[in-house]
Amino acid sequence: MRGNIAQLMQQAQKMQENMQRAQEELANIEVTGNAGGGMVSVTLSGRMECRKVRIDPSVVTDAEMTEDLVAAAINDAVNKVNAASQEKLGSAAAGMQLPPGFKMPF
């Protein structure tokens, strides 16, 4: 029984290290969301910080359309960051063998 607990603790520590590494890698990525066929683009970091917004001048004549395209580009970028996050963090937790019936608190 003790061996299982020690092994589980080692696995948890390795998973924590992997998660930390994955979070650091995520912080360094940048993704670009687009809308309107590329007329509006928004670049976000892996921490959801806006790095750049590009709006084609031809779009600016219609304020409502510009607002919609900016919102759509942001949503596209957020979805891409979430997908990258799920991929990196999911792979960091892979291999963690939990005993049957054991549930993590989160």
Side-chain angles (χ1 to χ4, degrees):
M1 181 74 172
R2 271 192 190 162
N4 290 341
I5 292 174
Q7 184 180 10
L8 185 61
M9 293 300 289
Q10 286 176 339
Q11 287 178 341
Q13 185 175 1
K14 184 175 180 176
M15 184 181 76
Q16 184 178 14
E17 291 167 2
N18 289 343
M19 293 290 267
Q20 200 168 19
R21 189 176 318 112
Q23 288 173 340
E24 289 168 6
E25 289 174 12
L26 264 175
N28 293 325
I29 69 166
E30 285 189 351
V31 299
T32 301
N34 295 294
M39 296 182 84
V40 174
S41 65
V42 173
T43 302
L44 297 179
S45 75
R47 291 186 175 158
M48 303 283 188
E49 297 166 336
C50 186
R51 299 285 189 206
K52 187 188 318 184
V53 176
R54 192 195 61 73
I55 301 173
D56 188 292
S58 65
V59 177
V60 180
T61 58
D62 184 347
E64 188 174 338
M65 181 175 72
T66 303
E67 292 168 355
D68 291 344
L69 290 173
V70 169
I74 290 170
N75 289 335
D76 186 37
V78 166
N79 289 335
K80 289 178 180 179
V81 170
N82 286 338
S85 176
Q86 193 170 25
E87 180 183 326
K88 286 208 180 283
L89 297 178
S91 66
M96 177 75 171
Q97 300 296 320
L98 297 177
F102 186 85
K103 295 181 181 173
M104 297 294 273
F106 49 101

